[in-house]
């Protein structure tokens, strides 16, 4: 092989290694900023056919309906705790801050935060659902599939957890 071709080959290999290294560093840096969406039943029983469970300490977004009678506010601070439910599960959420105006019992919300022990989500942000026109298709499908019955059917499940 002549010297010119060998130098070109080394240059192409160096560029490919550099691109691979840069891509892997970017993916490593972004992995801590990726928030996966879960429903309460997916947190309890796993997501998908593989039943992939979220890990304690994982950042995530959880969407569900606020269980009637579960909202508890601390009168001295802005701390609030409530339960989110879907067709198959109930989880607890704690949040400190001002809740959106549309937040109320029986309303759909999305809480973004960190999963703690005991299926508790320590939320950093709570978003109230106001209109279904602009819901992404995968979230709309999950809501249709998981919120078929009235909230009263979930009261016993919430009392047990």
């Amino acid at each position: 092989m002549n010297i010119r071709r060998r130098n070109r080959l080394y240059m192409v290999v160096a560029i490919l290694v550099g691109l691979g290294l840069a891509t892997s560093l970017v993916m490593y840096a972004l992995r801590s900023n990726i928030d996966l969406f879960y429903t309460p039943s997916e947190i309890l029983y796993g997501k998908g056919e593989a039943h992939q469970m979220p890990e304690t300490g994982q950042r995530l977004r959880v969407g569900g309906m606020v269980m009637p009678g579960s909202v508890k506010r601390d009168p001295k601070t802005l701390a609030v705790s409530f339960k989110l439910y879907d067709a198959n599960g109930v989880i607890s959420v704690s949040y400190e801050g001002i809740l959106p105006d549309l937040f109320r019992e029986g309303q759909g919300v999305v809480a973004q935060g960190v999963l703690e022990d005991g299926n508790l989500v320590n939320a950093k942000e709570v978003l109230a659902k106001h209109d279904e026109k602009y819901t992404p298709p995968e979230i709309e499908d999950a809501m249709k599939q998981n919120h078929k019955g009235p909230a009263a059917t979930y009261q016993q499940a919430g009392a047990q957890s």
Side-chain angles (χ1 to χ4, degrees):
M1 185 182 301
N2 105 21
I3 295 174
R4 191 175 204 174
R5 284 188 181 176
R6 189 176 329 155
N7 287 343
R8 283 184 189 165
L9 179 64
Y10 288 149
M11 176 101 57
V12 169
V13 169
I15 289 172
L16 289 176
V17 168
L19 284 174
L21 183 63
T23 302
S24 62
L25 287 173
V26 167
M27 295 302 288
Y28 179 76
L30 290 178
R31 77 178 166 86
S32 64
N33 293 327
I34 295 174
D35 296 328
L36 300 175
F37 179 80
Y38 288 88
T39 62
S41 60
E42 289 173 340
I43 289 176
L44 296 172
Y45 308 116
K47 188 173 192 171
E49 292 182 16
H51 296 290
Q52 180 182 359
M53 303 289 286
E55 299 173 6
T56 301
Q58 178 179 337
R59 288 179 44 161
L60 51 81
R61 288 182 296 159
V62 60
M65 306 294 276
V66 178
M67 181 173 284
S70 71
V71 178
K72 302 208 180 353
R73 299 174 190 268
D74 185 352
K76 296 178 183 167
T77 65
L78 292 175
V80 63
S81 65
F82 55 93
K83 293 185 185 288
L84 287 181
Y85 73 92
D86 66 1
N88 299 317
V90 178
I91 63 160
S92 299
V93 178
S94 66
Y95 175 69
E96 188 163 344
I98 298 173
L99 291 167
D101 291 337
L102 296 173
F103 180 89
R104 65 181 178 276
E105 295 176 350
Q107 179 73 24
V109 298
V110 174
Q112 183 173 343
V114 177
L115 182 64
E116 306 283 333
D117 288 329
N119 296 320
L120 170 72
V121 175
N122 187 4
K124 305 290 183 224
E125 182 178 19
V126 174
L127 304 170
K129 184 177 177 186
H130 60 88
D131 193 355
E132 293 185 15
K133 285 184 188 176
Y134 306 109
T135 305
E138 61 273 5
I139 295 175
E140 186 175 350
D141 291 343
M143 293 293 280
K144 283 180 185 175
Q145 186 177 37
N146 290 322
H147 301 289
K148 295 178 183 170
T153 61
Y154 305 106
Q155 292 296 332
Q156 271 115 30
Q160 293 170 356
S161 60

